[in-house]
Amino acid sequence: MASLDLSALSKYTDQLGQSIMKEATLRGRTLDVITVIPGVKYKTSLNLMTDTLAGQIGACSWNASGSTALSQRDITVCPIKVNESICPDELEQYWVGMAMKADGSYNTSAPDAFVQPYVQLKQDGISAMIDDIFWAGDTATGTGNKKLCNGIMQILTKTSASGTTVPVSKSAITVSNAISILDNSVISVVPTDVINDDKLILFVGYDTFRTIATALKNANYFAYTGAENQGGSFMMPYLGTNITIMAVRGLNGTGQMLLTPAWNLVAGVDLINDADEFRIFYDENDDEVRFRAKFKIGAQVYFPQYCVVF
């Protein structure tokens, strides 16, 4: 009996039935809670006012004392760009090519099935990049994107600002010592002038956040549940205080923490929505579809003396 010979064929795999799923990217969110100053093309000054009051015994006389001082701290933004190119002709050679428009050999765009997740992936990536640079940027010792601009931790630990911060000796945070470190080393040294500020935030990496959450859960402090979303995603009140603990991706893997009023941290940008602004265009000279994003980011702090740096 004759049989069907399929030995020369490979079994069929459907490569077109499913949409393209982009990889997950942890977006940045620091700029959602701190002070953001738009319209900075290169450098701008943060204007500060401080006061020294000197009381006197009441009497019928006039002796001037005390002072009000004006000062400035400059914030400089770094221009950053992302340039990528796609050759639509190359896509034709793979399964994506089946979704190309039937316009002959002139491919002036990639298929929508490719472009939509591609754009979202780039938006998420730029948001993540900005957060990484804001926190961990260091033009001297940084690597990759973190070398493009100086971030807040570089400013607070490697510039003259470090002389007025409240430094805390850094040690490895574990489930067994997290509560002790927070209570006895970090929260106990909050500057008096901001101790009652309702915007006090302890900024930590997501890894440190989970260590703290586990420590509180295990200790069953105040019947603490250990939920990661209390008042916001990966945000929780540190019970018994007016402090909110917030995880930010820019501190991931560093073991560093920063406790300060949220308004005290400043990000300089050109446009508020820089992270979502981009251009996708076809270049006839090189026969490519190009992606271009340009933005500016800079970090600064109004008052270093209100920063507890771990």
Side-chain angles (χ1 to χ4, degrees), residues 38-293:
V40 183
K41 295 297 184 182
Y42 168 61
K43 180 187 292 188
T44 191
S45 294
L46 307 179
N47 299 315
L48 311 176
M49 179 182 290
T50 56
D51 187 28
T52 302
L53 291 177
Q56 304 178 36
I57 300 297
C60 295
S61 62
W62 184 272
N63 296 307
S65 61
S67 64
T68 299
L70 295 176
S71 60
Q72 294 178 323
R73 291 182 61 80
D74 290 340
I75 181 170
T76 303
V77 297
C78 302
I80 298 171
K81 67 177 181 178
V82 177
N83 290 347
E84 292 189 7
S85 61
I86 300 169
C87 178
D89 290 348
E90 291 180 356
L91 294 178
E92 281 191 331
Q93 303 171 31
Y94 299 93
W95 60 267
V96 183
M98 296 300 294
M100 304 288 282
K101 293 182 178 179
D103 50 4
S105 297
Y106 288 93
N107 296 309
T108 60
S109 65
D112 290 342
F114 174 88
V115 171
Q116 291 173 358
Y118 176 84
V119 168
Q120 185 61 57
L121 185 65
K122 297 307 174 187
Q123 288 179 324
D124 291 348
I126 291 171
S127 172
M129 183 193 301
I130 289 174
D131 209 76
D132 288 346
I133 292 172
F134 178 84
W135 285 105
D138 192 320
T139 57
T141 63
T143 58
N145 294 328
K146 296 176 184 177
K147 194 177 181 66
L148 296 173
C149 197
N150 288 324
I152 202 70
M153 298 307 288
Q154 188 274 345
I155 292 170
L156 293 176
T157 61
K158 297 183 179 181
T159 70
S160 59
S162 64
T164 55
T165 63
V166 182
V168 176
S169 296
K170 182 174 173 287
S171 57
I173 298 178
T174 66
V175 172
S176 61
N177 68 15
I179 295 174
S180 176
I181 288 176
L182 291 187
D183 288 345
N184 301 320
S185 299
V186 178
I187 294 173
S188 62
V189 295
V190 173
T192 303
D193 286 333
V194 294
I195 199 169
N196 67 336
D197 196 292
D198 62 359
K199 298 296 184 181
L200 271 177
I201 295 182
L202 177 63
F203 295 96
V204 302
Y206 281 80
D207 48 353
T208 300
F209 184 99
R210 282 191 154 170
T211 299
I212 295 171
T214 300
L216 292 171
K217 175 175 64 68
N218 289 353
N220 196 30
Y221 273 24
F222 311 101
Y224 180 74
T225 65
E228 291 170 337
N229 304 322
Q230 299 185 65
S233 177
F234 275 88
M235 297 177 69
M236 62 181 174
Y238 193 66
L239 301 182
T241 74
N242 59 324
I243 295 169
T244 297
I245 303 176
M246 177 178 176
V248 292
R249 66 160 285 142
L251 292 178
N252 280 350
T254 67
Q256 294 177 308
M257 300 187 291
L258 176 61
L259 176 56
T260 193
W263 54 260
N264 195 34
L265 300 181
V266 183
V269 299
D270 195 346
L271 292 175
I272 290 291
N273 60 338
D274 261 348
D276 295 321
E277 289 290 318
F278 57 87
R279 300 287 185 272
I280 295 180
F281 58 95
Y282 176 70
D283 182 80
E284 290 188 349
N285 294 319
D286 292 309
D287 202 17
E288 294 177 334
V289 175
R290 294 183 170 180
F291 171 91
R292 178 176 64 195

Side-chain angles (χ1 to χ4, degrees), residues 1-5:
M1 178 178 179
S3 61
L4 183 63
D5 185 0

